[in-house]
Amino acid sequence: EVQLLESGGGLVQTGGSLRLSCAASGFTFTNYAMTWVRQAPGKGLEWVSTLTNIDGSPHYADSVKGRFTISSDSSKNTLFLHMSNLRTEDTAVYYCAKTAMVYARGFDYWGQGTRVTVSS
Amino acid sequence: QSALTQPASVSGSPGQSITISCTGTNNDMGTYNLVSWYQHYPGKAPKRVIYEGNKRPSGISNRFSGSKSGNTASLTISGLQVEDEADYYCCSYVSSGTWVFGGGTKLTVL
C-alpha cells in the first residue's frame, strides 16, 4: 500500500525558513517523480515543485522559484522541500504527491498534508 | 503559469448529472488530452478520479467521465450522490515536469 506522510510544517515568521519532509513507502521511490502541491486558505490547489526521476531535475512554479528547493534522500525514501525567504502568501497546507509513471497521468497518490503558517 | 479556469461552483440534485468545465490556453492544454481531475474533501488528501482526459483509475466509479474539446476539458458526474459533494480540480501537464491546476469547483448536491 502506497503511503505518503508529510511532516515539518509549523509557524514561521516572514523571511524565515522551513524544511518539509515526505516519507514514502509501498512503492519503489526512485522509479517515480515526486511532487509538492499546496493549498492556501480559501484557495485552490497549486502545483509547487516536482523532482523528476528520469534525470533528477527539479522544476518549480514561478511563485517559489529561487526560494524553494526540492530534494530527496533515496536511502530513506524521503522527499524534502526546503523553503526559505518565506512570505505570508506561502501560508498553505502542503501536500506531497507521487507522480504517475507517465507524467501526463498526474498524481496518483497523495499525503494528508502538513500546514505551514507564515506570520509577519 | 496562470491557473486553468473553472466555474467556482456547480450544483445538482441526487440522480442528476453535472458537468464541470476547465479552460486553458494552447500552451497549457495543448493538442493532447493531458488533463487529470481530482476530488478533494476539505481536510483530506485529494484523490485522482480521471487521468489523460477520459480514463478512470481503478476503483473510481463509472459515474465519473471526462472529455476535451479544443482548450476546454470537462468532468461529468452522472447519477449524482450525496457523497460526491466535494471540491473538484482539473490539472494539465504542461511540459517537462510542470503542471497547472484549475481554480477549483465546489460541487453541492442539493
Side-chain angles (χ1 to χ4, degrees), chain A residues 30-118:
Chain A
T30 52
N31 285 357
Y32 295 89
M34 295 295 294
T35 293
W36 289 97
V37 175
R38 68 184 180 183
Q39 183 178 34
K43 304 291 186 181
L45 299 177
E46 178 189 13
W47 173 77
V48 173
S49 180
T50 294
L51 187 63
T52 61
N53 59 307
I54 297 172
D55 59 3
S57 60
H59 300 269
Y60 301 98
D62 289 344
S63 58
V64 306
K65 201 171 291 183
R67 300 186 299 119
F68 289 13
T69 301
I70 191 171
S71 63
S72 67
D73 182 341
S74 57
S75 69
K76 297 182 179 178
N77 289 350
T78 300
L79 178 73
F80 301 104
L81 187 67
H82 304 255
M83 306 185 296
S84 62
N85 192 17
L86 282 161
R87 306 167 179 167
T88 54
E89 54 264 38
D90 295 318
T91 293
V93 174
Y94 285 75
Y95 296 98
C96 165
K98 172 181 167 291
T99 309
M101 181 70 76
V102 175
Y103 289 5
R105 295 180 178 174
F107 315 112
D108 50 7
Y109 292 92
W110 297 65
Q112 294 289 330
T114 186
R115 186 176 301 275
V116 172
T117 302
V118 183

Side-chain angles (χ1 to χ4, degrees), chain B residues 1-36:
Chain B
Q1 294 180 344
S2 299
L4 305 173
T5 300
Q6 296 182 233
S9 63
V10 298
S11 63
S13 300
Q16 288 185 332
S17 294
I18 61 94
T19 297
I20 299 171
S21 62
C22 169
T23 301
T25 66
N26 285 339
N27 284 339
D28 45 43
M29 280 293 196
T31 304
Y32 305 103
N33 200 343
L34 306 180
V35 175
S36 48

